[in-house]
Amino acid sequence: MLAGKFRLRYNDVEVYFGRGVLKEKLEEVVKGYVKALVITSKTAARVSGALLDVARALSSAGVGYVLYDKVAPNPYTSMADEAAELAESEGADLILAVGGGS
């Protein structure tokens, strides 16, 4: 089992993992962006409170957002296509994925 926090960077993609990283890092990371596409499942991010933390950080940083909450376990490529279309149609310049393993 992993303990602690870590950051993984690959090209322009950064992944933060660990308890409290949303509150610690998100507002700093999103500065300069205009609109985010937040991708998550229907309930997990809401139940855990993570979605509320994300909404607060985005608001505090002056970043608008649109929500795609149709991710299911073992997602289909059609879900990724649908999220990409939403990002394009909404003019999102940032994508935030909030959630678990799938």
Side-chain angles (χ1 to χ4, degrees), residues 15 31-32 37 47 55-56 60 63 70-71 74 82 94-95 97 99:
V15 176
K31 285 189 191 247
L37 171 64
V47 170
R56 286 179 179 155
S60 183
V63 178
K70 299 177 185 177
V71 177
N74 304 310
E82 188 176 43
L94 171 68
I95 296 175

Side-chain angles (χ1 to χ4, degrees), residues 11-57:
N11 291 328
D12 291 338
V13 175
E14 288 185 273
V15 176
Y16 291 89
F17 178 87
R19 183 177 301 273
V21 294
L22 280 174
K23 290 181 180 178
E24 292 172 14
K25 295 285 186 184
L26 188 59
E27 189 175 338
E28 169 190 331
V29 170
V30 301
K31 285 189 191 247
Y33 290 96
V34 176
K35 191 169 193 180
L37 171 64
V38 177
I39 300 177
T40 189
S41 66
K42 242 337 166 203
T43 58
R46 284 182 176 90
V47 170
S48 72
L51 186 56
L52 183 57
D53 290 342
V54 168
R56 286 179 179 155

